[in-house]
Structures are given as structure tokens and as C-alpha cells.
């Protein structure tokens, strides 16, 4: 395990992409086409480095990290996996079969290089995958505490049903009837089409339309639209271009008389997919174009290369939670590092954190 400047990985994109292709668990947000634009545009206020793991001379694992004196508003030194507000999964990118070796090396590195850090912190970690299981196993053998300090579940699409059957079982008869009525009424407004695209053809025009559609709504008013800030707009354009060039992007659009009124971008990381961003024209809100778009997105169930799709939505999302019935458990993990004194101090902290987390959930 070595820690290196993230810029060094710009010369290893081919090896990095190969690692993504044999990853134990998919995470598009740590793939080259997404993480490099993220680092270029969003890491200026923090010193991000890359933990890089090799097996038999081959890149077998990586994770971006930062050292911080802040921990959710408190002054607590820690080493943390780096994520930003538009990255929704913190799973390290690790080759299948290398999970145990990766965690052993990473935790050993953290013990040696802890500095002032009290613990290692991992955010947005799926709790039902092989990497979390391997971490728990390694930590148990090393008598090292792994504290789950925050837990949530978010909507997941995972079913053997075909799209129409899933739609029938997912929504009540009343809701299905209302959505069909809204779709008919929307079709009366003009030529209604749903367009599904992959590849790079027409991508730049699609990106322009998405950014404008999102900026015209409440996100634009609140300053949280991608186009509200140059850094996030550049990330969006570069990342989706990189994804499209690698066959990692699927685009959906509901069009009325040729103009997009609802749009969605999916990242394809077989065997999983990630519903990344969606936007809709709020002047058509009475027709629920976003829900219509999600109905069309059920076509993911027909793809032989995709077993599940992560909504990337917050827990208890008012729309998608009623549409997608499966759930994915996501957590924040704090992990003991260093010697006995440091681990003893962490033990006290972990107990306080877990008590706070349980209180919030209750």
C-alpha cells in the first residue's frame, strides 16, 4: 500500500479502467472518468491523495483519502475517504479476490501513518457487499473495532420481474390509474416521446439541455443546480463524456414536441447501475413527468448485464421510495487505528457516536 498524489494516476488510466472492470463491487464515483474530473474541479480546498494497492505488480485497489481536523463540525483529527456532494458511494475500488489483502494493507498503513488522526472514517459504504464483509473479518482477526456511526437505507431496483409486472406490483391500483391519466393528458399537449440513448452521439446537446432544465427549477433558485457553479458544471460535462466514451452512460429523456421536459442519467457499472441525476420541467409538474421517466427507467430490469440499480437518493425520498421497493443499506464506519492509547480513546468516541446514532434513529 502506498499513498501518492492523485495527479500520478492520470498516467495510469488504462490500468485503472481495467481494475474497474474486475472490481469486487462497482463504484462509478471512484472510476477514472468520474474521480479525475472530481479531483480536478472539487478538491482545491483539501489535500486529497490516493491510497494505491498492488498485487503481483498489478493495480488491485485504490481509494482517495484526506487528513482532516474536522469531523461533522467538531474538531477531531481523522483520516477519511474523500467524497463530495455529487458522489454517492464510498466503496473503494478493489479487484475481485483482493478484498482481504486490500484491507490488511490499508489498515496497516493507517496504523503506521496515523499522525494526529484518532481513527479512519469511511462514508457511504454499502453494508451488504463483499468489501464490508471482508473489512469486518479482517478487523475481527486484528481485534480492531469497526463502529457503525450512521445507518440509512435508500431505494434500490432489484427484481426478477419484467418492467410492466414490477409496475403493477409496485404501485397501488389508484396510483397506476392516476399516472396513466396524467400520461394521456400530457400526450394531449403535443408529440410525446421517450428517448433512450447511449454513446457519444448528441451528448453535448443533451448535456446542455439537462443543465438548463435543472437550472430553471428549484435547484437553480436555491443555488444547488450543477450549472450554478462552474466546478460542478465542468465535473458533470467531463464525467458524462468519459462515461459515454466507455459505454458507462445511459440517458433518458421525456420529450414533448422535441423539447426535453424530464431527463435522467444512469451510470452503468455491471452488475450494478446508479441513477445519477434527474431533472424535469416544473411547469409540467401536474403531469408528473419525473414519475413517467422513472416508469420508463424500469427497463433496467430487462438488461442482462444489470442485476440492480442504486437510486442514489436520500432515505425516505418522497417519490422513488414508493416506486422502487427494494432497499440498500448504507453506512458511515469509523475504524480504530494506531496503538493501545489511541484505540482506547477511539473506543470512548465510538460509544458516544453510536449512542447518538441510535437516538436519531429512534
Amino acid at each position: 500500500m502506498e499513498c501518492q498524489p492523485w495527479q500520478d494516476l492520470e498516467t495510469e488510466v488504462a490500468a485503472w479502467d481495467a481494475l474497474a472492470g474486475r472490481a469486487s463491487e462497482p463504484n462509478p464515483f471512484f472510476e477514472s472518468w468520474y474521480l479525475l474530473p472530481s479531483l480536478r474541479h472539487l478538491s482545491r480546498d483539501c489535500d486529497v491523495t490516493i491510497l494505491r494497492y498492488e498485487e503481483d505488480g498489478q493495480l488491485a485497489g485504490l481509494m482517495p483519502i484526506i487528513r482532516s481536523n474536522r469531523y461533522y463540525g467538531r474538531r477531531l483529527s481523522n483520516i477519511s475517504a474523500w467524497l463530495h456532494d455529487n458522489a454517492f458511494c464510498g466503496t473503494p475500488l478493489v479487484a475481485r479476490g483482493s478484498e482481504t489483502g486490500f484491507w490488511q494493507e490499508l489498515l496497516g498503513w493507517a496504523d503506521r501513518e496515523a499522525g494526529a488522526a484518532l481513527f479512519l472514517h469511511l462514508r457511504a459504504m454499502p453494508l451488504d457487499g463483499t468489501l464490508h464483509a471482508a473489512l469486518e473479518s479482517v478487523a475481527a482477526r486484528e481485534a480492531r473495532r469497526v463502529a457503525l456511526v450512521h445507518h440509512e437505507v435508500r431505494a434500490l431496483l432489484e427484481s426478477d420481474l419484467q418492467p410492466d409486472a414490477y409496475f403493477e406490483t409496485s404501485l397501488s391500483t389508484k396510483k397506476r390509474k392516476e399516472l396513466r391519466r396524467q400520461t394521456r393528458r400530457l400526450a394531449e399537449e403535443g408529440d410525446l416521446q421517450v428517448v433512450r440513448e447511449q454513446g457519444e452521439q448528441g451528448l453535448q446537446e443533451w448535456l446542455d439541455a439537462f443543465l438548463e432544465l435543472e437550472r430553471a427549477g428549484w435547484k437553480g433558485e436555491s443555488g444547488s443546480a450543477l450549472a450554478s457553479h462552474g466546478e460542478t458544471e465542468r465535473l458533470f460535462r467531463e464525467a458524462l463524456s468519459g462515461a459515454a466514451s466507455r459505454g458507462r452512460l445511459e440517458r433518458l429523456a421525456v420529450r414533448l414536441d422535441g423539447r426535453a421536459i424530464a431527463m435522467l442519467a444512469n451510470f452503468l457499472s455491471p452488475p450494478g447501475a446508479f441513477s445519477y441525476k434527474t431533472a424535469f420541467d416544473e411547469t409540467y409538474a401536474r403531469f408528473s413527468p419525473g414519475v413517467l421517466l422513472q416508469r420508463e427507467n424500469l427497463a433496467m430490469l430487462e438488461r442482462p448485464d444489470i442485476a440492480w440499480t442504486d437510486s442514489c437518493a436520500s432515505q425516505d425520498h418522497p417519490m422513488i421510495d414508493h416506486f422502487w421497493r427494494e432497499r440498500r443499506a448504507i453506512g458511515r464506519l469509523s475504524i480504530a487505528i494506531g496503538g493501545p492509547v489511541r484505540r482506547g480513546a477511539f473506543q470512548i468516541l465510538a460509544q458516544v457516536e453510536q449512542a447518538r446514532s441510535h437516538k436519531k434513529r429512534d
Side-chain angles (χ1 to χ4, degrees):
M1 183 73 67
E2 63 177 338
C3 188
Q4 64 184 59
W6 65 262
Q7 293 87 347
D8 291 355
L9 277 178
E10 296 205 64
T11 63
E12 291 192 80
V13 169
W16 192 348
D17 289 351
L19 169 61
R22 62 181 196 282
S24 173
E25 292 183 47
N27 183 2
F29 305 104
F30 284 174
E31 291 193 38
S32 65
W33 50 267
Y34 195 88
L35 185 54
L36 281 176
S38 297
L39 290 163
R40 291 189 195 110
H41 302 303
L42 301 177
S43 68
R44 293 171 184 170
D45 295 332
C46 50
D47 185 18
V48 183
T49 54
I50 302 293
L51 282 178
R52 184 182 184 283
Y53 174 63
E54 281 193 3
E55 281 188 358
D56 301 322
Q58 190 174 38
L59 183 64
L62 63 84
M63 184 174 75
I65 63 161
I66 58 170
R67 294 178 181 272
S68 176
N69 292 322
R70 307 296 299 179
Y71 177 75
Y72 302 108
R74 287 173 286 162
R75 292 190 62 83
L76 279 174
S77 295
N78 63 93
I79 301 172
S80 175
W82 181 71
L83 286 177
H84 55 81
D85 290 343
N86 289 293
F88 305 109
C89 183
T91 310
L93 212 56
V94 180
R96 193 176 302 107
S98 300
E99 300 90 347
T100 296
F102 174 83
W103 289 122
Q104 287 174 334
E105 289 295 315
L106 186 152
L107 296 172
W109 174 90
D111 287 342
R112 297 187 302 273
E113 304 293 335
L118 182 59
F119 55 93
L120 172 68
H121 187 60
L122 305 177
R123 296 168 52 201
M125 279 287 295
L127 301 178
D128 52 3
T130 55
L131 277 164
H132 180 248
L135 171 60
E136 292 280 2
S137 178
V138 169
R141 288 200 299 270
E142 298 179 359
R144 185 189 302 269
R145 180 161 185 183
V146 177
L148 177 63
V149 297
H150 178 80
H151 176 272
E152 63 183 60
V153 292
R154 64 192 187 201
L156 183 78
L157 179 65
E158 184 178 27
S159 175
D160 293 330
L161 295 174
Q162 290 298 297
D164 287 344
Y166 190 93
F167 177 71
E168 293 291 323
T169 59
S170 181
L171 296 181
S172 67
T173 301
K174 181 179 179 181
K175 288 182 179 178
R176 296 197 310 272
K177 183 178 179 180
E178 175 62 13
L179 181 58
R180 287 168 177 144
R181 184 193 69 80
Q182 290 172 322
T183 303
R184 289 195 302 270
R185 294 293 180 266
L186 182 58
E188 293 171 0
E189 299 287 312
D191 180 26
L192 181 66
Q193 292 183 321
V194 177
V195 182
R196 188 183 309 274
E197 300 172 278
Q198 288 186 229
E200 298 175 88
Q201 185 174 357
L203 177 61
Q204 295 310 311
E205 293 81 2
W206 194 95
L207 297 176
D208 292 341
F210 184 98
L211 290 167
E212 181 57 34
L213 190 62
E214 187 188 52
R215 182 167 47 191
W218 68 267
K219 288 187 178 181
E221 293 179 3
S222 67
S224 62
L226 291 161
S228 296
H229 307 280
E231 295 86 355
T232 50
E233 178 174 346
R234 288 190 289 272
L235 163 65
F236 183 74
R237 290 183 180 278
E238 291 179 25
L240 268 66
S241 295
S245 70
R246 292 166 172 81
R248 298 292 218 188
L249 178 66
E250 179 182 78
R251 296 170 276 143
L252 286 177
V254 174
R255 296 186 178 276
L256 191 64
D257 291 333
R259 186 175 69 85
I261 62 170
M263 305 178 78
L264 182 150
N266 288 319
F267 290 153
L268 307 175
S269 297
F274 295 76
S275 186
Y276 176 54
K277 290 288 180 180
T278 186
F280 69 93
D281 188 334
E282 294 174 11
T283 62
Y284 290 92
R286 66 188 184 279
F287 300 111
S288 299
V291 180
L292 171 59
L293 192 66
Q294 288 298 344
R295 180 181 178 181
E296 295 299 326
N297 202 29
L298 293 178
M300 279 289 183
L301 295 171
E302 296 180 308
R303 292 188 62 117
D305 58 332
I306 300 297
W308 50 264
T309 303
D310 187 333
S311 68
C312 296
S314 59
Q315 180 170 292
D316 300 324
H317 189 279
M319 185 271 285
I320 200 67
D321 269 34
H322 296 289
F323 213 124
W324 292 8
R325 295 300 188 178
E326 296 74 47
R327 296 293 181 263
R328 192 180 201 196
I330 304 291
R332 299 176 192 161
L333 305 174
S334 291
I335 305 166
I337 58 176
V341 173
R342 193 187 309 260
R343 293 194 190 192
F346 170 74
Q347 181 77 6
I348 298 171
L349 172 66
Q351 290 172 348
V352 173
E353 285 290 291
Q354 290 185 312
R356 181 183 290 112
S357 177
H358 287 308
K359 185 176 181 180
K360 288 181 179 178
R361 285 156 60 184
D362 294 340

